[in-house]
Amino acid sequence: MRVCRTRHELAAALDEHPGTRALVMTMGALHDGHAQLLKAGREAADVLVASVYVNPLQFGPNEDFDAYPRPVDADLTLLEREGTDIAFLPTDDQMYPREPLVRIDPGPIATILEGKTRPGHFAGVLQVVHKVFNLVRPDMTFFGQKDAQQLALVRTMVEDLNMGIDVRPVPIKRDDDGLALSSRNSYLSADERSQALAISGALRAGREAADAGATATEVLGTARSAIAEADGVVLDYLVLVNPDTFEELAPGVTGRGLLAAAAWVGTTRLIDNMEVELR
Ligand code: AMP
């Protein structure tokens, strides 16, 4: 595995690796969810490129940028284990030699849900994604459904700007008890971790209601009352939306829906989602 810390080293490594190219972008503190993206990339392309970069632009002033875990050695071990050819771990001055003047405007999907609680978050995400796409020039890229709104925005950017990259979704990897894997789970105490199970539990209750034939309104009601009863979980949002546009579903609608939630458990903010089929 080639480890590159500068754009120049990355360009040289890419030159030495001919063939189709898959890109997996991460912020590190890698876990088995990231590993699923790497496995999918390893299978699909000749060359697997992974980036590890905690992008300051996507953190708000009161968020966890400084506290975000950065276990570089463990990350390199996992990247190597998953057959990564090129690991790109840029420094801030490589990514942002100066304050960027030209900015990506992520549009209306970035103003709701995650974007409403985290203003500027998706503009920062798309800025770095666009930059890394330009540095790596991948044929395909893998994003987790865990960050469903991010996935929708990356797809929209690729389509609207004719970027010609195949954006492939990877299902959410969960622990056996249902908790969606996340680098931020490391912030949770043992008690908080068990309280956090209420989030995936509520989504699952909603999905079971949908499977049993409940309407959109009933599905949402089921999930919301499940989480309202949970100790230690402060809900930010729990919505039933169109998985592509993120518009809230009308009461009697049928077809695919996405139950999406964000909640604080102690001082940790967690997100999760689950697809439902409304009949
Ligand atoms: P992050 O390092 O949190 O920025 O995530 C990097 C990529 O891994 C994103 O595409 C995430 O959606 C994806 N990812 C994170 N957690 C999971 C998970 N539990 N299952 C699947 N993909 C995930």
Side-chain angles (χ1 to χ4, degrees):
M1 181 172 79
R2 282 281 288 275
V3 179
C4 306
R5 299 188 191 269
T6 67
R7 288 171 292 173
H8 190 76
E9 287 169 7
L10 174 64
L14 290 170
D15 280 348
E16 287 166 25
H17 287 79
T20 54
R21 215 172 266 169
L23 170 66
V24 172
M25 290 186 62
T26 79
M27 296 205 303
L30 301 177
H31 49 65
D32 207 30
H34 298 112
Q36 302 310 307
L37 276 62
L38 294 163
K39 286 181 201 302
R42 181 65 284 167
E43 189 137 304
D46 298 324
V47 182
L48 175 58
V49 183
S51 65
V52 175
Y53 180 60
V54 185
N55 172 37
L57 253 56
Q58 72 190 68
F59 286 77
N62 299 315
E63 293 183 356
D64 56 343
F65 176 72
D66 289 328
Y68 202 84
R70 291 164 171 88
V72 177
D73 291 343
D75 286 348
L76 289 173
T77 303
L78 189 145
L79 292 177
E80 178 107 57
R81 189 190 78 204
E82 297 303 334
T84 306
D85 296 301
I86 302 174
F88 182 45
L89 286 74
T91 51
D92 285 338
D93 63 316
Q94 284 291 312
M95 288 311 292
Y96 301 110
R98 60 165 166 72
E99 182 90 11
L101 302 175
V102 174
R103 301 276 185 154
I104 301 286
D105 176 356
I109 299 175
T111 62
I112 54 174
L113 307 177
E114 284 304 286
K116 191 167 180 192
T117 302
R118 308 184 66 189
H121 170 66
F122 287 120
V125 169
L126 292 192
Q127 189 84 20
V128 82
V129 169
H130 194 177
K131 282 172 77 90
V132 175
F133 281 180
N134 285 342
L135 291 171
V136 174
R137 299 180 310 282
D139 299 288
M140 65 198 83
T141 185
F142 295 81
F143 280 81
Q145 279 169 340
K146 162 86 175 12
D147 299 272
Q149 203 177 350
Q150 167 176 282
L151 170 63
L153 277 160
V154 170
R155 281 187 150 146
T156 308
M157 174 176 76
V158 165
E159 194 178 315
D160 285 353
L161 301 182
N162 297 327
M163 297 173 89
I165 297 167
D166 186 2
V167 181
R168 302 203 192 165
V170 176
I172 300 179
K173 180 78 182 173
R174 300 178 179 281
D175 265 335
D176 290 343
D177 56 12
L179 186 69
L181 297 189
S182 164
S183 305
R184 291 189 167 98
N185 291 351
S186 65
Y187 299 151
L188 301 170
S189 68
D191 279 353
E192 288 172 340
R193 197 189 171 290
S194 48
Q195 290 167 340
L197 292 177
I199 303 169
S200 55
L203 300 176
R204 213 166 38 241
R207 179 154 77 187
E208 281 163 9
D211 289 346
T215 64
T217 311
E218 290 162 349
V219 166
L220 191 54
T222 302
R224 283 201 174 137
S225 42
I227 212 157
E229 289 162 12
D231 274 342
V233 178
V234 177
L235 192 64
D236 181 356
Y237 61 77
L238 200 173
V239 291
L240 180 56
V241 295
N242 175 311
D244 302 316
T245 62
F246 277 79
E247 281 162 12
E248 296 207 24
L249 294 186
V253 82
T254 56
R256 283 165 68 229
L258 187 77
L259 268 175
W264 283 274
V265 180
T267 54
T268 304
R269 187 168 180 282
L270 300 173
I271 60 172
D272 197 357
N273 67 78
M274 229 172 254
E275 279 222 23
V276 300
E277 186 68 32
L278 298 157
R279 281 173 278 156

